[in-house]
Amino acid sequence: MKPIYLDYAATTPLDKKVIDSMTPFLEQEGGFGNPSSLHSFGQRAMAAIDGARIMLAKTIAANHREIIFTSGATEANNLIIRGILKSFFKNKKNSSADKQNCSITPRIIVSEIEHPSVLETVKILEKEGAIEAVYLPVDRFGVVDTAALERSLNDRTILVSVMWVNNETGAVQPIEKISKIIELFKKNEGKNYGGNYPLFHTDAVQAFNCFDLNVIKSGVDLMTLSSHKVYGPKGAGASYIKNGVEILIEPIITGGDQEYGLRSGTENVPAIVGFASAAHIAHNTYKTEFERLKKMSERFFKKIKKEFPEVEINGSDSGRSPHIINLYFPGHENLGLVMDMAGIAASSGSACSQRYEKPSHVLRAMSLDASRIKNSIRFSFGRFTEAKDIDDAIGRIIMSLNK
Ligand code: PMP
């Protein structure tokens, strides 16, 4: 039985054009050099990174100076959270006004549904006593409570981090609204620490294929991106850091001062080139991809509902990125196994937590009970999903559920 891949939120296959863009930088005749070298081999590699930086920046309406390439979104999220905190403490130590105020603990506000690379990082810092953390609740549709954000902002808040699209439910978060709330707070009350804080970060990893990640319109200060979710290679990602905000971030990986000193280490040239070309394609196709995947997702749900009327969506039917649908099948446990046997690659939680069989923190945050969480599964669609895949998958799902 040919497997059907419905796990695009976990990772995506490489686009052929992306492979072509990378090949020269893997070959001996091409730009395999170390970008830090001053000879022609190095300079060719450096020119490729410069080009990739410009190309990626354009897709989010940023300037190339505002892009820091990393090994992926996990590192980009760590750089932003840990880097901001490190810089905050460094500046505090140097400032005589703050010396009398050494007991101040900065506050970081995140949503309860963030990816573990944000959530666990914040929890570790909280445990270490370095920060006070506030976890914003979500409603039953998995959307962040902005009133709770308004209540949580105080003059010690240095960072707010809310993802653009949730990776388990597809719930789209009110990014522009959050930007406005923070902006207003800064104007009226955020006079502390030179008016620089709170900064607003969004993990936009799951939003790139279906949305316009315009950093100006969205009003974010910081953004995280990942290559392997947009048909690029694994091992590349980026932090967008708004012009001027870079002075509020210290590197967490130090060494040879690559990436404007914010991320040392020899750049992964072929992956960076591939990432930029993948991002370029994703940005050029996000509108049509949104519409196409919306139809796929509707077709998928409608047909399953017809055969299995008890099925329900975890989250909202609207306000959801169409590439993700999280379904509850009452009375059906071990759904992961069921799908496996039916030859369907889907996911009973986020890819990262599946192996450890932890109940989804996202569904729990939506106040879903333990049995519902156990009986739920995430399907995610992408560029190479066709109507026939959807129909075949439905047939297999219904058959295995009726067994
Ligand atoms: N954030 C989100 C929302 C994700 O879905 C993922 C991947 N599961 C990551 C961060 C981590 O990305 P990477 O694999 O590039 O570290």
Side-chain angles (χ1 to χ4, degrees):
M1 190 171 19
K2 196 174 161 236
I4 303 173
Y5 189 74
L6 298 182
D7 208 10
Y8 281 79
T11 195
T12 55
L14 263 83
D15 190 296
K16 291 273 186 302
K17 285 194 198 112
V18 171
I19 300 178
D20 292 344
S21 73
M22 292 169 67
T23 312
F25 300 94
L26 293 161
E27 290 174 341
Q28 199 182 350
E29 308 78 54
F32 74 92
N34 185 327
S36 298
S37 304
L38 294 177
H39 50 62
S40 61
F41 293 84
Q43 290 315 292
R44 192 165 166 209
M46 190 42 124
I49 293 179
D50 289 344
R53 202 186 305 281
I54 292 169
M55 195 184 249
L56 179 65
K58 264 195 188 151
T59 67
I60 58 168
N63 185 279
H64 65 277
R65 283 292 316 245
E66 298 172 312
I67 301 292
I68 302 295
F69 286 115
T70 64
S71 66
T74 298
E75 188 195 320
N77 283 337
N78 269 270
L79 166 63
I80 285 166
I81 297 166
R82 292 178 188 276
I84 286 172
L85 190 65
K86 219 168 143 188
S87 156
F88 175 81
F89 282 126
K90 190 174 164 192
N91 291 337
K92 206 168 87 156
K93 229 163 126 189
N94 293 338
S95 137
S96 56
D98 279 335
K99 268 189 188 133
Q100 292 135 26
N101 240 339
C102 273
S103 58
I104 286 180
T105 310
R107 174 176 283 192
I108 293 183
I109 303 174
V110 296
S111 83
E112 280 182 358
I113 57 162
E114 293 304 305
H115 184 265
S117 53
V118 168
L119 208 53
E120 292 307 311
T121 304
V122 166
K123 281 185 186 163
I124 290 167
L125 295 169
E126 183 186 28
K127 255 195 205 139
E128 289 171 358
I131 60 161
E132 178 195 54
V134 175
Y135 304 95
L136 299 176
V138 294
D139 63 17
R140 67 194 172 91
F141 299 119
V143 177
V144 169
D145 180 351
T146 51
L149 169 66
E150 283 173 306
R151 288 194 301 274
S152 308
L153 286 167
N154 66 6
D155 61 5
R156 289 183 289 111
T157 310
I158 59 169
L159 177 68
V160 176
S161 182
V162 176
M163 69 205 321
W164 197 304
V165 165
N166 180 265
N167 51 306
E168 292 190 38
T169 62
V172 180
Q173 304 303 320
I175 298 302
E176 279 185 38
K177 188 169 177 195
I178 294 173
S179 281
K180 287 196 181 116
I181 290 171
I182 296 171
E183 205 44 54
L184 197 68
F185 173 83
K186 262 183 173 165
K187 216 166 116 193
N188 297 334
E189 297 169 66
K191 302 281 184 275
N192 251 4
Y193 318 126
N196 288 326
Y197 302 105
L199 296 167
F200 180 31
H201 165 244
T202 187
D203 173 344
V205 165
Q206 294 290 345
F208 216 161
N209 290 314
C210 292
F211 296 88
D212 180 19
L213 301 185
N214 187 310
V215 291
I216 313 285
K217 272 196 228 153
S218 60
V220 300
D221 299 306
L222 303 141
M223 188 188 276
T224 291
L225 300 169
S226 176
S227 161
H228 73 100
K229 311 278 180 175
V230 293
Y231 311 90
K234 294 167 183 64
S239 295
Y240 156 76
I241 300 175
K242 189 173 158 182
N243 183 26
V245 171
E246 72 284 355
I247 56 163
L248 302 173
I249 302 185
E250 284 288 308
I252 55 170
I253 298 177
T254 48
D257 270 352
Q258 288 89 343
E259 295 300 303
Y260 306 118
L262 278 175
R263 200 279 181 179
S264 290
T266 303
E267 297 91 337
N268 186 349
V269 183
I272 287 172
V273 168
F275 176 24
S277 98
H280 178 72
I281 299 169
H283 183 62
N284 282 344
T285 54
Y286 78 88
K287 275 190 202 145
T288 47
E289 197 61 354
F290 183 100
E291 292 307 326
R292 199 181 72 83
L293 293 178
K294 191 161 178 267
K295 282 195 193 116
M296 293 278 179
S297 178
E298 280 166 3
R299 182 188 186 104
F300 186 71
F301 184 63
K302 232 163 108 187
K303 288 202 171 178
I304 292 186
K305 183 97 184 153
K306 193 165 163 236
E307 300 289 332
F308 197 85
E310 310 89 74
V311 71
E312 283 175 31
I313 298 178
N314 290 320
S316 157
D317 197 15
S318 57
R320 184 164 56 77
S321 178
H323 78 298
I324 299 178
I325 189 163
N326 196 312
L327 295 182
Y328 166 48
F329 294 95
H332 286 273
E333 280 190 19
N334 297 320
L335 277 165
L337 199 68
V338 172
M339 294 304 150
D340 245 11
M341 285 166 64
I344 291 166
S347 159
S348 50
S350 69
C352 337
S353 58
Q354 261 190 109
R355 193 164 294 169
Y356 307 105
E357 292 190 3
K358 274 202 274 181
S360 153
H361 70 284
V362 176
L363 300 187
R364 255 190 316 176
M366 289 158 68
S367 305
L368 304 184
D369 63 50
S371 90
R372 180 164 178 144
I373 295 174
K374 255 193 183 161
N375 298 1
S376 294
I377 197 143
R378 174 189 76 181
F379 300 93
S380 47
F381 317 114
R383 192 174 294 165
F384 308 112
T385 312
E386 290 174 7
K388 185 175 176 329
D389 300 320
I390 297 284
D391 293 345
D392 288 351
I394 294 164
R396 292 188 199 182
I397 292 166
I398 300 300
M399 213 159 77
S400 30
L401 289 176
N402 286 337
K403 257 185 199 159

